[in-house]
């Protein structure tokens, strides 16, 4: 249930509503808009309704949120879009985030070189995995803590905020020391204890859609993070599994306008893992920007043919300037500006 407070409702009135909501075992999430304050009462709807909050001082009206996800729903923000600030780079609204970097942190040289090139060519943030979810347990699993140190160095050299994946709750402290945005990978989208933990960690989260998850399941996963009081969640479409085998995954670009209708959260597209081939990454990136995505997360490598992981889909550093320039042009047509500082 959404409790919309009157314009000018006092702190005292807001506090009193929160107390009553919590008093019936529900949680209250306050969303402070420019003019209005909205309190999201999450829990048993009948109990909130039984409070008879209509007519309570400061309360304007109540709106039931019909979707199973509440805090993630566009209703919760009354159509206002969430804008996430990552060290001055904005994601959402009129801002477009270009997140670029290697699939995997492989070495110090590779990480610093890719970071330098993307930073000199308009990237908003640096991506790179130190902990890698691999289909085969025999494949390279990432450099772990050492990889995090290389990312830290890349951040110090370029100033770019770092987006890196967290796979295991046991690594949360190490990862959040370096990460500016915590990536939850497609395979962990429904790891609910991990989602709650990153919710509590308080850093912005980039949440990837599961390989065969519906948009509703993705939004329910986001709800786990939001419910912990962490409002900064980016939803990421990265391709889903369909009957089509001609490419790695089917990039579901309709997810962009659909998610933007269902939710106030920014929507990022990962064209790399769907395409699986670098020559398809550019057209799908442009298509995503044209569809209204709030950003792109793309894999870039200085020596793609030598890459340990996902080389065929990596944009070579040599081509990144042109890639970024075209993407910026399409983002502008869609009414957005790539956010850098
Ligand atoms: C990645 O970003 O490198 C990755 C493993 O992505 P996903 O979880 O979408 O497969
Ligand atoms: Mn990858």
């Amino acid at each position: 249930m959404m409790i919309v407070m009157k314009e000018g409702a006092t702190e005292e009135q807001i506090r009193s509503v929160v107390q009553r909501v919590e008093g019936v075992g529900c949680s209250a999430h306050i969303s402070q808009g420019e003019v209005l304050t909205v309190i999201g009462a999450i829990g048993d709807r009948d109990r909130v309704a039984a409070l008879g909050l209509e007519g309570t001082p400061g309360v304007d009206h109540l709106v039931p949120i019909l979707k199973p996800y509440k805090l993630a729903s566009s209703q919760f923000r009354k159509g206002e879009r969430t804008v996430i600030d990552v060290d001055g780079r904005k994601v959402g609204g009129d801002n477009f985030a270009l997140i670029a970097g290697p699939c995997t942190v492989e070495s110090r040289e590779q990480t610093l070189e890719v970071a330098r090139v993307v930073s000199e060519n308009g990237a908003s943030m640096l991506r790179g995995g130190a902990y890698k979810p691999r289909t085969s347990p025999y494949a390279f699993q990432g450099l772990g803590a050492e990889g995090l140190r290389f990312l830290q160095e890349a951040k110090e050299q370029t100033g770019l905020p770092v987006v890196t994946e967290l796979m295991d709750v046991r690594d949360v402290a190490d990862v959040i020391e370096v990460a500016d945005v915590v990536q939850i990978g497609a395979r962990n989208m429904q790891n609910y204890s991990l989602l709650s933990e990153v919710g509590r960690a308080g850093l912005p989260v980039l949440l990837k859609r599961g390989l065969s998850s519906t948009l509703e399941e993705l939004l329910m996963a986001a709800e786990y993070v939001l419910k912990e009081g962490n409002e900064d969640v980016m939803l990421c479409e990265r391709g889903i599994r369909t009957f089509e085998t001609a490419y790695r995954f089917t990039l579901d670009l309709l997810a962009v306008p659909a998610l933007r209708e269902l939710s106030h959260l920014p929507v990022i597209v990962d064209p790399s893992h769907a395409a699986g081939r670098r020559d398809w990454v550019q057209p799908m990136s442009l298509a995503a920007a044209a569809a209204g995505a709030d950003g792109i997360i793309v894999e870039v490598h200085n020596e793609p043919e030598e890459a340990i992981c996902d080389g065929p889909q990596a944009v070579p550093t040599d081509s990144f300037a042109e890639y970024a320039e075209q993407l910026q042009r399409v983002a502008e047509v869609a009414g957005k500006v790539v956010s850098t500082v």
Side-chain angles (χ1 to χ4, degrees):
M1 189 77 82
M2 241 169 59
I3 303 151
V4 183
M5 302 300 289
K6 287 191 171 128
E7 208 178 314
T10 65
E11 292 278 318
E12 186 53 42
Q13 289 167 338
I14 294 169
R15 205 166 31 242
S16 148
V17 171
V18 168
Q19 271 169 8
R20 289 181 62 192
V21 167
E22 289 176 346
V24 293
C26 297
S27 60
H29 294 258
I30 302 175
S31 164
Q32 203 98 47
E34 298 244 311
V35 187
L36 294 179
T37 298
V38 175
I39 301 168
I42 311 294
D44 186 333
R45 190 186 323 160
D46 292 341
R47 288 189 179 198
V48 179
L51 286 171
L53 287 168
E54 294 94 341
T56 301
V59 173
D60 193 66
H61 63 282
L62 269 63
V63 186
I65 300 181
L66 301 172
K67 303 283 188 199
Y69 45 88
K70 311 290 178 191
L71 304 169
S73 77
S74 30
Q75 253 182 320
F76 181 66
R77 283 281 172 92
K78 301 182 83 209
E80 223 176 83
R81 302 217 56 85
T82 282
V83 178
I84 301 175
D85 189 309
V86 184
D87 204 10
R89 284 77 174 177
K90 296 204 167 62
V91 193
D94 300 335
N95 311 282
F96 190 89
L98 172 52
I99 306 169
C103 170
T104 305
V105 174
E106 297 170 11
S107 69
R108 178 173 179 272
E109 293 65 35
Q110 169 241 18
T111 307
L112 296 182
E113 175 59 8
V114 176
R116 182 185 67 78
V117 173
V118 302
S119 131
E120 285 173 0
N121 290 286
S124 317
M125 296 179 224
L126 174 68
R127 64 147 288 149
Y131 297 92
K132 296 302 301 179
R134 303 303 301 276
T135 302
S136 166
Y138 306 116
F140 177 62
Q141 306 286 309
L143 289 179
E146 188 185 22
L148 291 175
R149 283 198 293 279
F150 298 152
L151 286 170
Q152 175 67 36
E153 199 176 339
K155 170 153 77 172
E156 283 160 12
Q157 286 195 5
T158 61
L160 289 181
V162 164
V163 181
T164 195
E165 179 160 355
L166 171 71
M167 288 177 54
D168 190 318
V169 287
R170 289 169 294 186
D171 299 318
V172 71
D174 289 347
V175 168
I176 66 171
E177 209 176 299
V178 173
D180 298 282
V181 175
V182 178
Q183 176 175 326
I184 298 295
R187 289 152 192 85
N188 267 317
M189 188 203 86
Q190 288 180 310
N191 182 338
Y192 299 123
S193 49
L194 186 64
L195 293 171
S196 299
E197 197 65 33
V198 291
R200 289 189 285 270
L203 282 185
V205 174
L206 185 140
L207 177 62
K208 291 191 142 193
R209 181 181 183 182
L211 272 50
S212 45
S213 297
T214 64
L215 297 185
E216 185 164 301
E217 285 162 343
L218 171 61
L219 290 164
M220 291 306 280
E223 194 80 6
Y224 269 89
V225 179
L226 298 167
K227 194 170 175 297
E228 298 301 325
N230 186 343
E231 297 181 359
D232 295 338
V233 179
M234 305 168 206
L235 306 167
C236 180
E237 163 60 35
R238 47 79 72 207
I240 50 173
R241 183 152 282 166
T242 68
F243 52 80
E244 186 52 72
T245 55
Y247 22 80
R248 237 179 132 181
F249 294 95
T250 299
L251 190 64
D252 178 15
L253 283 184
L254 258 181
V256 176
L259 284 171
R260 286 174 53 89
E261 181 179 301
L262 297 170
S263 177
H264 54 85
L265 298 170
V267 179
I268 306 293
V269 171
D270 170 350
S272 307
H273 289 89
R277 262 174 55 176
R278 76 177 57 91
D279 54 337
W280 289 342
V281 168
Q282 169 116 1
M284 295 322 285
S285 303
L286 302 184
D294 297 296
I296 293 283
I297 180 164
V298 64
E299 292 186 345
V300 180
H301 203 289
N302 55 333
E303 291 177 314
E305 47 310 314
E306 306 294 326
I308 296 177
C309 180
D310 288 350
Q313 69 198 32
V315 173
T317 40
D318 292 348
S319 321
F320 185 74
E322 196 202 332
Y323 169 87
E325 197 187 314
Q326 291 206 27
L327 186 59
Q328 281 166 2
R329 278 217 291 269
V330 177
E332 270 166 40
V333 172
K336 290 178 191 290
V337 176
V338 175
S339 184
T340 52
V341 290

